[in-house]
Amino acid sequence: MRHTKRDPVGASDYDPMKEPRYTDIATFMRAPLARSLEDVDIGLIGVPTDLGVTNRPGARHGPREIRNASSLMRTFNLALGTNPYELCRIADLGDVRLSHRFDLERQNADIEAFYNKVHAAGIRPVSAGGDHSITYPIFKAIAAGAPIGMVHVDAHTDTWGEFYGSKFTHGAPFRLAVEAGLLDPKRTIQIGIRGSQNFMDGIDFSLSHGMRVVFMDEFAAMGVERVIAEARRVVGDGLTYISFDVDGLDPVYAPGTGTPEIGGITTLEAQRLLRGLRGLNLIGGDVVEVAPPYDQTGNTALVGATIMFEILTLIADRHFGSDAVRA
């Protein structure tokens, strides 16, 4: 099995997936910790920063706690009938090293530089934030050649303008990406949008640029299957990215987040939604805004890890499965 690695103490090979789940150093999904970018098809990456938040910090702790919670993951995705670890080489690439802990723009440059190397190595990234500001520099690396489409699950559109002197906040990544020609707004669907507003700038931007915005009331009325069909229609078969903000879920399921909004998606609906995207031409994905300090139960980190596993399985199935379409 591709997941096998050498025991650093013993002489024999062992499979960490078959070891007790409370043992060994925590990595994403208990995947091997890569020492280089060679021989990796899908890279699991942490981006531990929350300098872009506009309210409650804490998402900088997300990658570490998601790694710990992901020790509960197993290899086989029962709903999709797929074991991604048998299809391709999956590794934890560690965290992006941020040279400036108090300078958001320099952190963006560090993130972009890291993902430039990942993209050049042909690795498809699945990332754990961090706040949602991380997605813009990721797009600058992986979408530099041509704009990509996106399935975006969130309570907020994240297409706002400048906020108190900064345009790089977690409320702005997709406005920046559209303006930079990295994201095709007409191949973008935003799902679960809700909550009261002080001004409509972000929602107006999304709608006026042709994004398909599925407000939460519409999601509830349509049902998951029709939303899946709409998402597939919008993004088509072009290169597509999944960005999943855990505040898209109802805070009953994910209280550990910086900007919770009640009346959101359930975890089961989220899983069904993602599984319905099987076969899309996915270039990568992320799970963001897991802020463990606001959730003493650890459930939000488990939710983040499970959503990462769903995205990981979709990418492995599309690009490395028996019916894979190489892109």
Side-chain angles (χ1 to χ4, degrees):
M1 186 173 174
R2 293 178 189 269
H3 215 63
T4 300
K5 61 181 180 181
R6 181 163 294 277
D7 187 332
V9 177
S12 61
D13 287 338
Y14 79 110
D15 183 351
M17 282 292 186
K18 295 179 180 177
E19 295 295 311
R21 288 180 285 170
Y22 53 83
T23 63
D24 216 334
I25 296 172
T27 60
F28 286 122
M29 318 296 167
R30 288 180 285 159
L33 182 62
R35 300 188 182 280
S36 76
L37 298 182
E38 297 179 359
D39 302 320
V40 178
D41 298 312
I42 299 176
L44 309 176
I45 303 164
V47 192
T49 179
D50 55 18
L51 284 191
V53 299
T54 54
N55 186 27
R56 303 194 302 184
R60 68 185 65 183
H61 302 287
R64 176 169 289 191
E65 294 306 318
I66 291 173
R67 279 191 176 92
N68 192 42
S70 74
S71 296
L72 292 169
M73 298 297 101
R74 299 181 178 90
T75 58
F76 197 81
N77 188 313
L78 197 61
L80 293 177
T82 300
N83 182 340
Y85 305 98
E86 290 182 343
L87 300 179
C88 60
R89 299 163 298 181
I90 300 165
D92 187 329
L93 303 187
D95 284 351
V96 177
R97 294 188 178 181
L98 302 170
S99 59
H100 294 81
R101 288 289 168 183
F102 303 102
D103 187 323
L104 180 56
E105 292 189 44
R106 286 181 154 182
Q107 286 192 357
N108 281 352
D110 289 336
I111 296 167
E112 181 184 353
F114 184 97
Y115 282 84
N116 273 331
K117 294 177 182 178
V118 169
H119 188 60
I123 298 170
R124 289 175 171 82
V126 179
S127 308
D131 69 62
H132 222 156
S133 69
I134 72 169
T135 310
Y136 174 57
I138 292 174
F139 277 14
K140 290 183 74 175
I142 69 173
I148 60 177
M150 178 177 64
V151 177
H152 172 208
V153 178
D154 204 321
H156 315 97
T157 61
D158 291 353
T159 49
W160 309 101
E162 185 175 296
F163 186 82
Y164 286 98
S166 176
K167 63 179 182 178
F168 297 105
T169 71
H170 68 164
F174 304 125
R175 185 189 195 107
L176 295 172
V178 169
E179 292 174 343
L182 305 171
L183 177 65
D184 182 350
K186 292 182 171 56
R187 291 189 55 242
T188 296
I189 184 167
Q190 301 184 299
I191 301 169
I193 308 304
R194 63 189 187 281
S196 58
Q197 307 287 317
N198 283 328
F199 49 91
M200 297 292 288
D201 180 53
I203 290 171
D204 288 345
F205 182 93
S206 291
L207 294 173
S208 66
H209 284 75
M211 294 184 182
R212 176 65 169 97
V213 181
V214 180
F215 294 96
M216 192 61 213
D217 285 348
E218 184 182 7
F219 179 96
M222 290 177 67
V224 175
E225 294 303 321
R226 288 177 60 196
V227 174
I228 290 169
E230 183 70 349
R232 299 183 71 93
R233 180 193 69 80
V234 169
V235 302
D237 196 41
L239 292 176
T240 299
Y241 190 91
I242 296 175
S243 191
F244 194 106
D245 186 329
V246 294
D247 72 29
L249 302 171
D250 192 285
V252 166
Y253 305 96
T257 193
T259 316
E261 304 281 0
I262 70 164
I265 298 169
T266 71
T267 47
L268 178 57
E269 288 170 335
Q271 288 179 295
R272 290 178 58 204
L273 173 62
L274 291 173
R275 292 162 183 167
L277 304 180
R278 186 175 198 170
L280 294 187
N281 192 1
L282 298 176
I283 194 173
D286 61 43
V287 178
V288 298
E289 301 286 354
V290 172
Y294 304 110
D295 181 3
Q296 295 179 346
T297 71
N299 192 63
T300 308
L302 176 60
V303 168
T306 307
I307 296 300
M308 279 187 75
F309 179 65
E310 296 290 350
I311 297 172
L312 164 65
T313 305
L314 290 173
I315 295 174
D317 180 72
R318 159 74 191 214
H319 295 290
F320 305 101
S322 58
D323 297 324
V325 179
R326 299 292 190 261

